[in-house]
Amino acid sequence: ELDTRDHVYLPSDDVSIQSSSYFKSQKKKCNWRKWIIIIFVYSCLSVVAALIVQNEYGSKKETPGDPPTPSLIVDKCENDISTATVGEQICIPYTQQFTSNPSGIQVKQVSSQYLSALPSFSINVSSDTVSQKKENWIVYFNISRPDQQLRLMKENATCDSIGIYEITIEYDDGNFTSFKFEISFKDPQLKQIVTRINYNIHVHCEMTKTCMASSLALFVNDGGSSRLIPDIDVCSFTDKNSGTTVSADAIIHVSQLSENQTISCVPLMTNMELAANLTSTSGIPVCEGDCVPDCTDDPQGEAYFSDKNDCTKFYQCSNGQLVSQSCSQSTYWSTSKCTCVHFNDEICNKDTNRFLSPILSIEKCANASLA
């Protein structure tokens, strides 16, 4: 008999057994709850991701018969663009019909104007529609198309794209066919601006997106002869993606030029015929204002005009017509005195017969006493 104040202790083994079974049952309940929560969260995330994908891509429809080509713009490559401009698209459609399924396509550049290694790449054709990007080229094959089953495209043409290419097509039966095509660039454009600022002629010449011109030269043309302008600033910048931009600038004093002369900008390249076709020529605005003598108001020969280019020459009105005359040796025409006077080295250069200070306008004088 036990007293109610006494404590009852179970054997230690029984206590440990009961405690262990109790905690195991509770642990199993927690594990089940944890997995239920994980599955629920994962399901919610999957549904949200599916909705995002549907909203982003579900409205975009693919072209029937074309393979999905994210970031590959092959639909633009429908016309032959083998003559392009730097930075523009190149497109080579293969118009022949395939008689059997190809197993591989190899593209090789066999010639180039550059000394760099010629690229070559190949792709495996494992289905009726293939679209792959290789060496900056997009190779597109679709045997279900009625034409242009094979198309090659390069989104941005670079200078090293120029050359001859060979495409080899291997078939399942072991046979192969090949064809060649050439890529060339359009002739670049040459821009030339000739302006006068005070007593100087400013010449600017520029050519952009060129793969042919290495530099530019400026020439002054006088009749059938030309002379090189030596003091010019040439700037050249070459970028792989945009080609070469080259420019030439010169500042020439107007006393060294005359209005009947012209200035030509010539690109320096190995193709001399192309260089001649691209050459730009502009007139020289040497004289400003009224630079043409006019005898309308002086028909009786009472008016005299200086020559705007040659300081030893002058013009006289005779019956409404201009008559060219020259001063005697060692003299030049003075408009202020309206006669020929002895050379003044500060006004007229006796070696070139040109005014040291250019004439901005032609003034007439009367009552001449010729020397």
Side-chain angles (χ1 to χ4, degrees):
E1 295 181 359
L2 297 176
D3 188 90
T4 56
R5 292 172 297 176
D6 296 335
H7 298 282
V8 178
Y9 297 94
L10 295 175
S12 58
D13 291 342
D14 292 340
V15 173
S16 62
I17 292 173
Q18 291 180 10
S19 299
S20 176
S21 60
Y22 171 77
F23 285 115
K24 284 182 180 180
S25 63
Q26 294 298 320
K27 187 176 182 180
K28 288 181 180 180
K29 291 181 181 180
C30 290
N31 287 340
W32 277 108
R33 291 173 183 173
K34 180 177 70 175
W35 281 109
I36 291 173
I37 293 173
I38 292 174
I39 294 173
F40 176 76
V41 172
Y42 180 78
S43 301
C44 292
L45 292 176
S46 300
V47 172
V48 172
L51 291 175
I52 293 175
V53 172
Q54 176 66 25
N55 292 333
E56 181 69 20
Y57 302 104
S59 59
K60 298 183 180 180
K61 297 180 180 179
E62 298 179 359
T63 304
D66 286 350
T69 53
S71 75
L72 303 184
I73 314 172
V74 295
D75 290 338
K76 295 181 180 179
C77 184
E78 294 289 346
N79 300 319
D80 188 352
I81 310 177
S82 56
T83 302
T85 302
V86 176
E88 295 183 358
Q89 183 192 86
I90 296 176
C91 177
I92 307 297
Y94 183 67
T95 57
Q96 298 183 25
Q97 195 77 13
F98 286 96
T99 56
S100 59
N101 292 333
S103 58
I105 300 172
Q106 183 183 33
V107 181
K108 180 180 180 181
Q109 186 174 359
V110 296
S111 71
S112 174
Q113 66 176 6
Y114 293 89
L115 300 178
S116 57
L118 300 178
S120 176
F121 60 89
S122 59
I123 64 171
N124 295 323
V125 180
S126 57
S127 62
D128 292 342
T129 55
V130 176
S131 182
Q132 293 187 21
K133 189 171 185 178
K134 293 278 189 174
E135 301 290 338
N136 296 323
W137 285 89
I138 299 174
V139 181
Y140 175 81
F141 171 74
N142 186 356
I143 200 170
S144 64
R145 286 177 60 101
D147 60 351
Q148 298 184 10
Q149 296 173 329
L150 174 63
R151 288 177 285 169
L152 281 81
M153 191 189 80
K154 194 171 188 179
E155 295 185 56
N156 298 311
T158 55
C159 289
D160 54 5
S161 303
I162 299 176
I164 298 177
Y165 293 76
E166 182 179 41
I167 296 181
T168 301
I169 303 172
E170 300 177 0
Y171 298 93
D172 294 336
D173 55 8
N175 295 323
F176 67 90
T177 59
S178 63
F179 72 97
K180 293 182 179 181
F181 64 91
E182 183 177 3
I183 293 177
S184 59
F185 282 170
K186 299 175 183 177
D187 295 339
Q189 299 297 317
L190 189 63
K191 299 179 181 179
Q192 184 182 14
I193 301 175
V194 180
T195 56
R196 174 173 177 161
I197 302 177
N198 297 326
Y199 292 147
N200 293 319
I201 301 297
H202 294 252
V203 183
H204 175 75
C205 185
E206 181 177 316
M207 178 178 285
T208 60
K209 292 186 177 182
T210 177
C211 299
M212 306 171 188
S214 57
S215 186
L216 299 171
L218 299 177
F219 291 86
V220 175
N221 310 307
D222 191 352
S225 62
S226 299
R227 58 183 174 89
L228 179 68
I229 301 176
D231 298 328
I232 65 173
D233 294 327
V234 178
C235 180
S236 179
F237 174 76
T238 301
D239 180 76
K240 181 179 179 181
N241 296 323
S242 59
T244 299
T245 296
V246 58
S247 63
D249 293 272
I251 300 176
I252 311 167
H253 197 272
V254 292
S255 61
Q256 302 177 19
L257 303 169
S258 62
E259 196 171 18
N260 60 342
Q261 295 175 331
T262 58
I263 293 182
S264 293
C265 180
V266 181
L268 303 181
M269 55 181 61
T270 56
N271 189 335
M272 301 302 294
E273 182 179 356
L274 179 59
N277 293 333
L278 295 176
T279 297
S280 174
T281 302
S282 300
I284 302 175
V286 173
C287 190
E288 293 180 344
D290 185 10
C291 292
V292 180
D294 188 3
C295 292
T296 303
D297 299 331
D298 301 280
Q300 303 302 323
E302 297 179 356
Y304 296 85
F305 301 89
S306 63
D307 186 276
K308 57 190 175 184
N309 300 316
D310 193 331
C311 55
T312 65
K313 293 182 180 181
F314 63 96
Y315 297 92
Q316 180 183 6
C317 290
S318 176
N319 297 322
Q321 302 294 325
L322 283 175
V323 179
S324 176
Q325 299 190 43
S326 299
C327 294
S328 60
Q329 189 175 4
S330 299
T331 63
Y332 75 98
W333 176 258
S334 172
T335 301
S336 61
K337 297 181 179 181
C338 204
T339 186
C340 293
V341 298
H342 290 288
F343 264 105
N344 184 339
D345 291 336
E346 295 181 357
I347 298 176
C348 182
N349 188 325
K350 64 175 61 178
D351 296 325
T352 61
N353 292 340
R354 298 194 181 279
F355 291 99
L356 297 180
S357 296
I359 298 177
L360 301 181
S361 62
I362 294 181
E363 300 178 358
K364 70 177 179 178
C365 62
N367 299 323
S369 57
L370 302 181

